[in-house]
Amino acid sequence: MEVKLKVFRYNPEDDKKKHFDTFTLEVEPTDRVLDLLEQAKAYQDGTLTFRRSCAHGICGSDAMRINGVNRLACKVLVKDLKSKTITVEPLLGLAVEKDLVVDMEPFFDHYKSVMPYFVNNDPPPSKERLQSPEERARFDDTTKCILCASCTTSCPSFWANDKYIGPSAIVNAHRFIFDSRDQAAKERLEFINEQFGTHRCHTIFNCTDACPREIQVTKALNEVKKAIATGRLD
Ligand code: SF4
Ligand code: FES
């Protein structure tokens, strides 16, 4: 089948205006949008620029807007889009560096701000730090994050003010806040309770809809809000 792939283009070195280029491609219904981008780059325009690595929904590097919705290009099939014209654009709310590549540094700065690592100052035990299956299940959902930024860049609060740390950072804080072995929950919750933390979340659910890992993002944010309000982690 023939499809038209309409791609956002911007080259800061020689483009004065951001624009779209349309590539006419012969594709299979089971091709992924990433396959279409690869085909356009390989056979029509080698300057077309986008991020990708694993091509299997694991690395999170090819998040982009596909027909107006944040998706991983390697996980969206042509047949699922039900359209002969497929529009791909960079994520919103982050500066475009070239074509579909955005500057991820502000996103990762927010991620780093919530201490997304295990903190425990007790002397290490002779074997592992034990945890029951129930305790492990408490934060299982938020361990699945691949840092694709689809949630944060679909959030109107983040578009309005990029100082908001965004749902992804809070999801990654949740993963450690509710880990029974960790000791830095209080510090993380105090930070998230500041001006650019959960106060900016208006429960719009765009983040949950955008997540390619099907993480219950809004639920995780609500659990963090509740922990801030009650001071309890149950
Ligand atoms: Fe991507 Fe989901 Fe993680 Fe957000 S929570 S960064 S959408 S994997
Ligand atoms: Fe790795 Fe799509 S290329 S998630």
Side-chain angles (χ1 to χ4, degrees), residues 28-45:
E28 298 293 330
T30 50
D31 281 346
R32 306 160 304 173
V33 172
L34 181 61
D35 297 321
L36 275 51
L37 287 165
E38 300 278 21
Q39 189 190 135
K41 183 176 175 70
Y43 297 105
Q44 297 193 36
D45 185 348

Side-chain angles (χ1 to χ4, degrees), residues 34 52-62 72-74 146:
L34 181 61
R52 58 91 86 188
S53 182
C54 70
H56 290 287
I58 301 300
C59 72
S61 63
D62 62 341
L72 297 178
C74 64
I146 55 173

